[in-house]
Amino acid sequence: MTSARRYLAKVFVSLKPTVNDPEGETIAGALRSLGFQGVARVRSGKFFQIELEAADETSASEAVERMCQRLLANPVIETFAFEVGEVAPAS
Amino acid sequence: MRFAIIRFPGTWSDRDCQHALRDVLGQEAEIVWHRETSLDGFDAVVLPGGFSYGDYLRAGAIARFSPIMEAVTRFAAAGKPVIGICNGFQILCESGLLPGALIRNDSLQFRCEWVWLRREGRPTPWTAAIPEGAVLRMPISHGEGNYQADEATLDLLEREGRVVFRYCDAEGNVTPAANPNGSAHNIAGIVNEQGNVLGMMPHPERAAEPLLGGDDGNLLWHSILSAALDTVA
């Protein structure tokens, strides 16, 4: 049986630590002004949920890795991380 | 000269570019839809400003995969002139035709105003008619014009004289106060290694007539026209 399974990838993209994040700094300032004095640092980013069909989890992960490299993240300024889990067999 | 002005879904400065090139400067200027695959018969390519694909994901990130971009890449590799303005600059960076990236303005504000630019760097076809050190006035209109690259890339750009426009004050002083978006080294425009591909955030096409507030932008078009004449001669 080689029927495709359905996976859900959760992808996180954020600016590299060396790249200034004015949005994150502004959010941090806003949180502190709301009284959350413990906020030390905020880094902003993007979150994607991608449903995809693949033969197995390894090939799903490989596909998501390529998606990140080609489109979802810009390697000049961003880093990415993701997790992949099976959701349900494709009908 | 015959200019191709590329239009993506969401491009908004294509007609301004066409007006400047055709009506003001008397050149041929055709708008080319992004699904086209050929640039045969064109002498120069303009990637205009706007919000291609709504700036979704990152500015320029999706437009770079439009079919026409393969033709633009070949055109650039052949040494022919390509200019990316504003969103066009973002597309050139996303496509790898220029190094670095343009991120959110450090003020987090969309900046729409006139700025001063100092012409620097080595001679290029896009700046041939502009004396080194000249101070030009042009509008900017962007939320993500904060040019960033790693230190090695910035060093390389500086060493090779590829920073051709820098934000400055009216006297030509490059100061933090004159930097509208937080760009590294006050960078407003850079060229590729060969010098034929220019990316810049300010809008030369919106500084094409005194009625608009100035016509310094025409110096870029005059530059590329004179460079083309030199090539023929």
Side-chain angles (χ1 to χ4, degrees), chain B residues 19 29 37 105 117 153 165 171 177 185 207 210 217:
Chain B
H19 172 70
T37 55
N105 293 349
L117 304 172
T153 303
F165 292 115
E171 283 75 45
H185 299 200

Side-chain angles (χ1 to χ4, degrees), chain B residues 82-126:
Chain B
V82 176
I83 183 172
I85 302 163
C86 197
N87 190 221
F89 186 11
Q90 294 162 340
I91 294 168
L92 289 174
C93 286
E94 281 284 340
S95 67
L97 288 172
L98 290 174
L102 294 143
I103 67 169
R104 187 71 61 93
N105 293 349
D106 62 351
S107 63
L108 295 183
Q109 294 171 331
F110 189 96
R111 300 292 295 264
C112 186
E113 62 204 39
W114 287 74
V115 297
W116 299 96
L117 304 172
R118 195 170 78 190
R119 146 87 169 92
E120 295 189 7
R122 62 176 158 99
T124 79
W126 285 107

Side-chain angles (χ1 to χ4, degrees), chain A residues 13 15-16 19-24 26-27 46 48 70-78, chain B residues 57-58 61-62 64-65 93-94 99-108 146 148-150:
Chain A
V13 176
L15 290 168
K16 284 180 181 173
V19 176
N20 187 36
D21 178 14
E23 195 170 355
T26 302
I27 293 166
K46 299 190 185 86
F48 307 93
R70 281 216 71 195
L71 179 64
L72 299 179
N74 178 342
V76 175
I77 47 169
E78 294 173 325
Chain B
L57 191 61
R58 295 177 306 277
I62 300 183
R64 68 154 291 202
F65 291 109
C93 286
E94 281 284 340
L102 294 143
I103 67 169
R104 187 71 61 93
N105 293 349
D106 62 351
S107 63
L108 295 183
N146 181 351
Q148 297 297 330
D150 59 33

